[in-house]
Amino acid sequence: MALKEVLIDELRDMYSAENQLVKALPKLAKGAKNPKLKQLFAAHLEETKGQVERLKKVFLELGEKPTGQHCNGMEGVIEEGKDALEKDEEGASFDSGLIGAALRTEHYEIAGYEACISMATTLGLAKIAKLLNSNLKEELNAAKKITAAGGPIMKQSASEPEEPKKPKTGKEKYSAKKSKEDEAKAAPDLN
């Protein structure tokens, strides 16, 4: 497979990821308790819509269609955000979970854009690299804003009393079982 084909596959992955986020970000904004966090998620939704439009321009430049590939990685990261929204936490502790999920999302996107920019640059596709770099800058900025907003929220969370342990939900039991399986599979390679 030629590098240009790999780039197109990666771009389709990013296009799918951004479209999934257009649906997920309003849920994070609605679920967040902290007003600043709500505002950050809402503002990033508008940026994400612009990123989808830039990706469409990239595909137009390449003479390709943007669709045809689902981003399983982003689906998983978004699922973690859904899990954070379903937690039984209160106040700042609840928002701290959302911050963790949001930062994982941003870093997934950052890695994807960095890979695509590197490929486009190698292929001499300067206009495409420039468009992708605009998206990357927004993702880096979003991560910085979330981290900055998260500091006071996490400090507040640290001062909240610990809740007594509750019985695990079915989803939590399944996740714990999968975690044990992952640990067992990795154990021989850790020695």
Side-chain angles (χ1 to χ4, degrees):
M1 180 184 288
L3 182 58
K4 187 174 179 183
E5 292 171 20
V6 175
L7 173 61
I8 290 168
D9 282 350
E10 291 291 321
L11 289 167
R12 285 185 175 135
D13 200 63
M14 294 306 299
Y15 183 74
S16 170
E18 297 294 9
N19 277 297
Q20 289 179 56
L21 283 171
V22 167
K23 291 300 203 185
L25 280 166
K27 293 173 187 166
L28 287 174
K30 183 179 178 186
K33 309 284 190 240
N34 180 281
K36 176 139 180 124
L37 201 54
K38 278 182 178 292
Q39 184 273 328
L40 283 173
F41 291 146
H44 194 50
L45 171 62
E46 294 310 310
E47 283 180 333
T48 302
K49 290 176 182 178
Q51 292 165 2
V52 169
E53 292 306 312
R54 270 191 218 106
L55 285 168
K56 286 179 181 177
K57 289 178 184 174
V58 165
F59 281 100
L60 191 60
E61 282 289 316
L62 291 167
E64 296 284 338
K65 291 186 180 194
T67 58
Q69 187 162 321
H70 176 73
C71 182
N72 294 319
M74 184 55 75
E75 181 179 28
V77 174
I78 288 172
E79 184 62 32
E80 290 189 18
K82 286 180 190 174
D83 289 349
L85 285 169
E86 293 171 1
K87 292 283 182 190
D88 222 5
E89 302 289 334
E90 295 291 326
S93 295
F94 178 82
D95 282 336
S96 292
L98 296 184
I99 290 164
L103 285 172
R104 281 190 296 281
T105 301
E106 294 309 316
H107 287 276
Y108 184 89
E109 292 174 287
I110 290 165
Y113 282 118
E114 286 179 339
C116 289
I117 291 165
S118 180
M119 289 177 207
T121 301
T122 300
L123 291 166
L125 302 171
K127 187 172 182 180
I128 288 171
K130 184 176 179 181
L131 287 165
L132 296 173
N133 203 45
S134 294
N135 284 10
L136 175 62
K137 285 179 182 175
E138 288 176 354
E139 300 300 359
L140 289 164
N141 194 35
K144 284 181 187 174
K145 287 179 182 179
I146 292 166
T147 299
I153 293 168
M154 289 187 196
K155 281 183 184 174
Q156 183 182 349
S157 176
S159 69
E160 292 175 347
E162 290 199 24
E163 298 287 322
K165 293 245 182 210
K166 297 177 183 170
K168 287 186 178 183
T169 64
K171 194 172 193 176
E172 289 170 329
K173 288 177 186 175
Y174 174 77
S175 181
K177 178 182 175 223
K178 295 298 281 182
S179 178
K180 285 276 189 200
E181 290 172 7
D182 294 342
E183 182 182 15
K185 288 176 186 174
D189 295 328
L190 293 173
N191 293 331

